[in-house]
Amino acid sequence: SPHILPEVVDAVLRRFATKHEGVFAMDTRRVCVFLAEQIFASSGSRAWPVPEFLRALRATMPPQLTLDVDMDAWNSRSISTSVVGKLAVATSAPADEHLLHSPNGVPASLTLLLPVDNNTLPQDTRARMRDLFAVKSKWTAREMRPFLEDLVADESAVAKAVDSWLLKFGRGVRGANGESVYTSRIN
C-alpha cells in the first residue's frame, strides 16, 4: 500500500517474520511473544489464570494468524518452554502449590502465570537469584533457566552456569518426579 512506509514494513518483517527463498512468512510464535509482553505490561504484576490469559492472547491475535493451543500443554510443568517462558513463571493457588513440581504439575485450568520482567532483574547473579526466589519460593533449573541465560555469554554453558548458581544460592531437594526443586539459601 502506498500509505505504509517501507521502513515500517521492513521493521515488522524483521521482528515478526521468517524468510525462506525470498518469501516472508509471519512467525506466529514471535507474534504471540510480543502480544504476551503487551498483555503482561498492561496488567502490572498481577497473576493471570492460564485460561484467562489465553483468551486475552487469542483476542489480540491478528485474524490471519491462528493460535493453536492445547490446554494440556499449558500445565505448570510446561510453562517454561511455552511462548511465555521468558515472561512469566507458573504458580498456583496455595491449595495446589504441592502439585507444582509433581510429575503432572498443576493442570492449566488451575495454573497462574506470574509476569517477570527480565529487563528489570539485576545483572548481579546473587541479586537476581534473590529477586527470583522472592517471586517464587521453589524453582526447578528448567523453570529458572529462561531468567538467567542472559547472564551467560556462551550459550552452550547456560545449563552448567544455572546448575552452579542453584547449588551456590539454593537448597535442592528431589521432587516427586525426580527433578530437583530449589529454595533460597540467600539471606
Side-chain angles (χ1 to χ4, degrees):
S1 169
H3 303 295
I4 300 175
L5 295 173
E7 296 85 7
V8 172
V9 172
D10 198 43
V12 169
L13 290 175
R14 271 196 317 274
R15 174 103 190 249
F16 300 111
T18 56
K19 186 177 181 181
H20 181 68
E21 296 180 8
V23 177
F24 287 97
M26 293 303 284
D27 184 327
T28 303
R29 185 174 178 90
R30 289 182 188 176
V31 173
C32 283
V33 169
F34 173 77
L35 294 173
E37 288 172 343
Q38 302 310 303
I39 291 167
F40 288 143
S42 70
S43 66
S45 60
R46 87 169 178 95
W48 282 78
V50 165
E52 182 183 338
F53 172 78
L54 291 176
R55 277 193 299 278
L57 188 58
R58 279 191 187 104
T60 59
M61 284 292 286
Q64 301 82 357
L65 298 177
T66 56
L67 179 62
D68 184 27
V69 174
D70 172 13
M71 280 297 280
D72 292 335
W74 282 79
N75 70 35
S76 65
R77 295 195 38 77
S78 61
I79 295 301
S80 61
T81 57
S82 73
V83 295
V84 297
K86 292 184 176 190
L87 307 173
V89 295
T91 62
S92 67
D96 300 315
E97 214 167 62
H98 67 285
L99 297 173
L100 275 174
H101 299 104
S102 66
N104 296 324
V106 176
S109 60
L110 300 175
T111 298
L112 300 172
L113 299 174
L114 187 60
V116 176
D117 185 352
N118 223 16
N119 297 322
T120 63
L121 291 173
Q123 291 301 304
D124 173 67
T125 308
R126 180 185 182 85
R128 183 170 298 195
M129 296 292 285
R130 184 188 60 242
D131 285 7
L132 289 171
F133 279 119
V135 168
K136 183 177 168 180
S137 63
K138 296 178 182 177
W139 294 77
T140 63
R142 179 181 37 79
E143 292 171 318
M144 199 171 264
R145 181 182 177 152
F147 301 103
L148 297 173
E149 59 191 11
D150 65 305
L151 298 177
V152 183
D154 180 5
E155 197 173 310
S156 66
V158 170
K160 186 175 180 179
V162 170
D163 288 344
S164 169
W165 293 331
L166 283 168
L167 290 173
K168 183 175 183 179
F169 300 116
R171 266 184 210 92
V173 176
R174 280 275 173 227
N177 63 351
E179 191 174 19
S180 292
V181 177
Y182 297 88
T183 57
S184 178
R185 77 165 77 204
I186 303 170
N187 295 330

